[in-house]
């Protein structure tokens, strides 16, 4: 990696296919339901057909599909809400509650450097054409992209995945047509019915290889994402991860900041420190797939529960590796439960396969887990933390070189955890300045 001089790292950027990035985020959200439900991806596929039929421009279609792939982001921290959304076929089952996750999605994304425009679309994706919405909007005052997602979402949740889809299309079309001018924009309904007349529409949106058929990389150009933009995306998902469980309320940011602190003392350059910050924020991304009854269990896990918990690092790796420019981040983030003796998980890599970034992440993760308060115990004192971690190094689990750096910076690392738990965690701008001040120059 070419390392930046002071200040230049802010201009450092990734060339990333936008749809690959949004796909990763969307798949992570769908993991919350207890597996990859693909609801958002199928909804986006319906949106694409409709927007093609309506003659949307490539730019407006890109924004529409981004919003469709993330439209249930506001429900991600609420597992029960996500499951209801994934199984419900009628808006009326929710009443006013249907708007809650749409508003929450807007709140999460409205200040995003990458998805600010999409946030407004997501906010209104359950607004009814004829009005009566909390927003006060109706008809053409509702964003067109929101109107398209509203209908597409309703189509997707009405498909019974256990039955041949072609046998269902007549009933689904009839139900959608019945809501023309009520729930749905008449023009969007007509575009949908034109698409629905073709068998390929139904087969495409339920196809096992949906992504390759509907969202092939060749359809979308790569975009330059700046360092602050990618950090902003990572911070967004750290928020979702940590909101999922009271046990991890501030964990991701604490691990991220401690990892950057350690790496800054181990000759990492400024760009590498930036990547470490992102990797730390995303290291527990796969925990979105783990049920809260396991994450929040106050006692020892059963063998089956432990096997479920061990899956989270695998999901983290598989999600992040989909983004070509994030391969190093994927390794640093996902290998934090691998051990030098090769007995960790999920890949059992061993010392010769573990990069320094992954070793740093492992030490940071263990330290924060011991030094932070948990609902079932108070934070451990320094003597206990040092004893446990020294034993792990002696047994070939973690890198003693990294541990020595941690112990030399113990008070600083401990202050990071305390500040985070006290709601006074340094913001991203602070860590941007920290990187510039402490990262080794090329």
């Amino acid at each position: 990696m070419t390392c930046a001089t002071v200040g230049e790292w802010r201009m450092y950027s990734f060339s990333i296919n936008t749809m690959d990035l949004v796909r990763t985020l969307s798949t992570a959200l769908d993991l919350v339901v207890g597996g990859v439900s693909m609801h958002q991806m199928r909804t986006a596929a319906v949106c694409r057909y409709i927007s093609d039929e309506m003659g949307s421009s490539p730019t407006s279609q890109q924004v529409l599909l981004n919003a469709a792939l993330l439209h249930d982001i506001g429900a991600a921290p609420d597992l029960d809400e996500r499951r209801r959304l994934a199984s419900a076929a009628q808006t009326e089952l929710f009443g006013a509650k249907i708007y809650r996750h749409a508003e929450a999605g807007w709140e999460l994304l409205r200040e995003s450097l990458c998805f600010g425009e999409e946030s407004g679309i997501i906010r209104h994706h359950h607004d009814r054409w004829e009005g009566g919405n909390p927003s006060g909007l109706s008809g053409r005052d509702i964003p067109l992209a929101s109107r398209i997602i509203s209908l597409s979402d309703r189509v997707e949740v009405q498909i019974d995945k256990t039955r041949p889809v072609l046998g269902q299309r007549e009933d689904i079309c009839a139900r959608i047509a019945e809501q023309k001018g009520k729930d749905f924009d008449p023009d969007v309904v007509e575009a949908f019915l034109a698409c629905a007349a073709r068998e390929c529409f139904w087969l495409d949106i339920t196809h096992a290889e949906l992504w390759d058929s509907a969202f092939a990389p060749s359809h979308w150009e790569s975009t330059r994402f700046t360092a602050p933009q990618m950090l902003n995306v990572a911070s967004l998902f750290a928020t979702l991860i940590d909101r999922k469980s009271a046990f991890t309320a501030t964990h991701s940011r604490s691990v991220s900041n401690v990892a950057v602190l350690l790496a800054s003392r181990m000759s990492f350059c400024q760009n590498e420190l930036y990547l470490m910050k992102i990797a730390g924020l995303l290291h527990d991304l796969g925990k979105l797939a783990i049920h809260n009854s396991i994450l929040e269990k106050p006692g020892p896990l059963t063998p089956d529960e432990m096997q479920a918990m061990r899956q989270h690092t695998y999901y983290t790796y598989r999600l992040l590796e989909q983004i070509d420019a994030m391969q190093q981040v994927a390794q640093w983030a996902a290998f934090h439960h691998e051990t030098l003796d090769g007995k960790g998980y999920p890949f059992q890599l061993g010392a010769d396969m573990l990069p320094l970034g992954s070793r740093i992440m492992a030490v940071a993760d263990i330290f924060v887990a011991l030094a932070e308060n948990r609902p079932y115990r108070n934070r451990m004192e320094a003597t206990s933390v040092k004893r446990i971690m020294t034993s792990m190094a002696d047994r070939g689990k973690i890198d003693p070189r990294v541990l020595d750096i941690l112990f030399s910076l113990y008070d600083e690392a401990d202050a990071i955890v305390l500040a985070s738990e006290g709601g006074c965690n340094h913001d991203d701008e602070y860590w941007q300045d920290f990187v510039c001040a402490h990262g080794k120059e090329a």
Side-chain angles (χ1 to χ4, degrees), residues 161-227:
K161 312 308 185 292
T162 67
R163 296 171 47 212
V165 70
L166 294 181
Q168 305 176 57
R169 58 178 180 162
E170 187 174 326
D171 288 342
I172 293 174
C173 286
R175 287 194 289 270
I176 295 298
E178 184 180 348
Q179 293 303 314
K180 179 178 178 180
K182 298 176 184 177
D183 283 358
F184 306 125
D185 177 347
D187 292 340
V188 176
V189 172
E190 290 303 317
F192 161 71
L193 293 175
C195 296
R198 303 190 292 272
E199 285 85 353
C200 64
F201 165 81
W202 299 97
L203 298 174
D204 274 349
I205 66 174
T206 56
H207 190 253
E209 302 298 329
L210 169 62
W211 185 263
D212 292 334
S213 61
F215 308 106
S218 60
H219 294 155
W220 313 105
E221 295 181 358
S222 293
T223 302
R224 301 303 301 188
F225 287 86
T226 66

Side-chain angles (χ1 to χ4, degrees), residues 104-147:
W106 171 72
E107 289 281 357
L108 281 167
L109 292 178
R110 62 176 176 164
E111 296 182 0
S112 169
L113 298 179
C114 297
F115 304 115
E117 184 176 358
E118 286 83 351
S119 70
I121 296 170
I122 289 170
R123 187 182 198 184
H124 299 291
H125 79 271
H126 281 302
D127 282 9
R128 302 177 71 242
W129 171 262
E130 66 179 357
N133 306 302
S135 67
L137 301 183
S138 63
R140 299 192 185 281
D141 289 335
I142 302 169
L144 175 59
S146 303
R147 290 177 256 152

Side-chain angles (χ1 to χ4, degrees), residues 34-188:
V36 183
S37 75
M38 293 186 67
H39 166 66
Q40 295 181 122
M41 196 177 296
R42 293 191 184 104
T43 298
V46 178
C47 287
R48 180 168 188 189
Y49 260 97
I50 292 173
S51 62
D52 281 344
E53 183 69 27
M54 298 183 75
S56 299
S57 69
T59 300
S60 62
Q61 187 178 76
Q62 178 73 77
V63 174
L64 164 66
L65 296 182
N66 288 348
L69 286 164
L70 300 174
H71 72 273
D72 281 344
I73 190 171
D78 186 340
L79 182 60
D80 290 336
E81 180 79 355
R82 284 287 293 150
R83 285 179 169 161
R84 287 194 299 268
L85 290 170
S87 62
Q90 296 293 334
T91 301
E92 290 75 17
L93 291 177
F94 297 99
K97 291 182 179 180
I98 193 66
Y99 302 101
R100 182 174 60 192
H101 75 282
E103 189 74 10
W106 171 72
E107 289 281 357
L108 281 167
L109 292 178
R110 62 176 176 164
E111 296 182 0
S112 169
L113 298 179
C114 297
F115 304 115
E117 184 176 358
E118 286 83 351
S119 70
I121 296 170
I122 289 170
R123 187 182 198 184
H124 299 291
H125 79 271
H126 281 302
D127 282 9
R128 302 177 71 242
W129 171 262
E130 66 179 357
N133 306 302
S135 67
L137 301 183
S138 63
R140 299 192 185 281
D141 289 335
I142 302 169
L144 175 59
S146 303
R147 290 177 256 152
I148 294 174
I149 294 175
S150 177
L151 184 146
S152 301
D153 178 87
R154 186 77 66 87
V155 169
E156 199 287 324
V157 297
Q158 291 190 67
I159 297 173
D160 182 345
K161 312 308 185 292
T162 67
R163 296 171 47 212
V165 70
L166 294 181
Q168 305 176 57
R169 58 178 180 162
E170 187 174 326
D171 288 342
I172 293 174
C173 286
R175 287 194 289 270
I176 295 298
E178 184 180 348
Q179 293 303 314
K180 179 178 178 180
K182 298 176 184 177
D183 283 358
F184 306 125
D185 177 347
D187 292 340
V188 176

Side-chain angles (χ1 to χ4, degrees), residues 75 197 277:
K277 173 70 174 170

